[in-house]
Structures are given as structure tokens and as C-alpha cells.
């Protein structure tokens, strides 16, 4: 009898864990899985809910996608403060898991979204933002195995996102050319090096 009760409890625990994981997976991409009261709640209340309900990797996706407005009505309005709040409350392995996914996700964002996240984080002065995007872009090209056509599309999207802020785009170009020339185009097709290093 005790064995049967234990198996029932174990089965229910597995079902609840699976349900929670499914809910967290959705919560990183849509607002459907959030209680309605969280839509008008503070960033802190939303983060508390996600920290209790989801894994650190889902929390990383939630905070970035919500800051970018990709979670419908559920938003993060104070990205820098929210990120600090998470780091203050996560411990040990959870903090490492969060940080790993958080950094990786930001690194893989399209250029316009990466620019927005850096601006929201306030970690880069406006004059240095374009240089940083340019200097980091070579790694993105390598990791994504991007073609010249891919690069042209992404650079055009960034140029459009910069709109009247032509200096940020100009600094991006300088940063990108600088890293290409310092690196001498190692690990990328020669046509890409020739096209963008001059």
C-alpha cells in the first residue's frame, strides 16, 4: 500500500513538473500563460512570478523578450533594474544558468534588437554603442555562418533602426571594419573580408 501511494505521488509530481515546464516555455514567448493580474503588475511582481514558476533559462528568455515587447501585454519596463533584481535573488547554479542563456541570447539577437537591449541596459554610453556593435559583429558572422547577402540585410536593418541617428550606424561601420582588419578575416570567406574591410 505504501509503495502504491509513493508511486501515485511520484506520478503526480512528474505531471506537475511537466505542466510547469510547458507553461514556462510558453511564458517566454506569449502572455497567454500569465495570470491576468500580472499584465498590470510591476516588473518586480512579474519577475517574482517567473522566478518561482520557471527555470533560470526561461527567466532569461522572459526578461529579454519582454523588454523587447515580444510578450504581448506582459512587458519589462525597467530592463537594467530588472536584470539586477534577478541577479540579487538567484543563487549559485541558478545564477550561472541564467547568465549563460541571457548572454547567449543577447549575442544572437538581430542587430537592431541588440542595439535596443544595450541601450535599455544602459551599460554602454551612446557614443560607444555603435563601436561595440561593430566590434562584436564578426563573432556573430562566424557563429551564424553568414553570407554577404545576410550581412547586407542585417546592416540595412540596423541602418533603418538607427533612422536619424546616423552617427551610431557610422560608428558601427568603423567598429566592424576595425575588427575585420585586426583579425585579417580569419575564419570567414575571403569575399566578405574584401567587401567589408575597406
Amino acid at each position: 500500500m505504501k509503495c502504491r501511494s509513493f508511486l501515485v505521488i511520484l506520478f503526480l509530481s512528474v505531471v506537475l513538473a511537466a505542466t510547469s515546464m510547458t507553461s514556462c516555455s510558453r511564458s517566454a514567448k506569449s502572455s497567454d500563460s500569465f495570470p491576468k493580474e500580472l499584465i498590470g503588475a510591476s516588473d518586480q511582481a512579474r519577475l517574482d512570478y517567473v522566478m518561482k514558476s520557471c527555470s533560470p533559462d526561461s527567466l532569461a528568455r522572459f526578461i529579454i523578450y519582454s523588454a523587447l515587447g515580444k510578450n504581448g501585454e506582459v512587458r519589462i519596463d525597467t530592463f537594467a533594474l530588472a536584470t539586477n533584481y534577478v541577479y540579487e535573488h538567484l543563487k549559485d547554479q541558478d545564477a550561472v544558468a541564467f547568465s549563460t542563456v541571457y548572454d547567449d541570447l543577447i549575442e544572437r539577437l538581430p542587430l537592431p534588437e541588440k542595439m535596443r537591449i544595450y541601450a535599455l541596459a544602459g551599460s554602454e554610453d551612446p557614443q560607444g554603442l555603435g563601436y561595440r556593435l561593430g566590434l562584436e559583429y564578426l563573432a556573430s558572422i562566424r557563429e551564424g555562418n553568414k553570407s554577404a547577402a545576410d550581412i547586407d540585410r542585417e546592416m540595412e536593418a540596423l541602418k533603418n533602426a538607427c533612422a536619424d541617428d546616423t552617427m551610431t550606424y557610422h560608428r558601427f561601420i568603423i567598429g566592424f571594419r576595425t575588427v575585420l582588419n585586426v583579425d585579417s578575416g580569419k575564419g570567414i570567406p575571403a569575399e566578405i573580408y574584401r567587401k567589408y574591410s575597406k
Side-chain angles (χ1 to χ4, degrees), residues 92-157:
D92 304 325
Q93 291 181 342
D94 285 346
V96 172
F98 171 83
S99 179
T100 301
V101 174
Y102 179 92
D103 292 341
D104 185 60
L105 184 54
I106 289 175
E107 185 58 37
R108 293 173 187 273
L109 287 173
L111 282 171
E113 292 182 353
K114 192 174 185 181
M115 180 176 71
R116 276 184 62 203
I117 281 293
Y118 282 164
L120 290 170
S123 57
E124 194 73 49
D125 70 277
Q127 290 188 339
L129 180 57
Y131 295 128
R132 179 176 179 184
L133 286 169
L135 291 169
E136 292 178 352
Y137 191 50
L138 182 57
S140 174
I141 291 170
R142 282 197 183 108
E143 288 171 18
N145 198 24
K146 294 175 182 175
S147 66
D150 295 329
I151 296 167
D152 285 342
R153 275 193 301 274
E154 291 187 341
M155 288 174 65
E156 186 64 27

Side-chain angles (χ1 to χ4, degrees), residues 53-129:
S53 309
C54 301
S55 61
D57 60 311
S58 290
L59 175 61
R61 285 188 288 273
F62 167 78
I63 194 171
I64 292 168
Y65 292 148
S66 297
L68 290 170
K70 293 185 168 187
N71 277 339
E73 295 178 81
V74 178
R75 302 182 63 88
I76 291 293
D77 298 314
T78 57
F79 182 69
L81 294 174
T83 301
N84 288 339
Y85 183 78
V86 168
Y87 278 117
E88 286 169 6
H89 287 78
L90 292 182
K91 305 296 179 197
D92 304 325
Q93 291 181 342
D94 285 346
V96 172
F98 171 83
S99 179
T100 301
V101 174
Y102 179 92
D103 292 341
D104 185 60
L105 184 54
I106 289 175
E107 185 58 37
R108 293 173 187 273
L109 287 173
L111 282 171
E113 292 182 353
K114 192 174 185 181
M115 180 176 71
R116 276 184 62 203
I117 281 293
Y118 282 164
L120 290 170
S123 57
E124 194 73 49
D125 70 277
Q127 290 188 339
L129 180 57

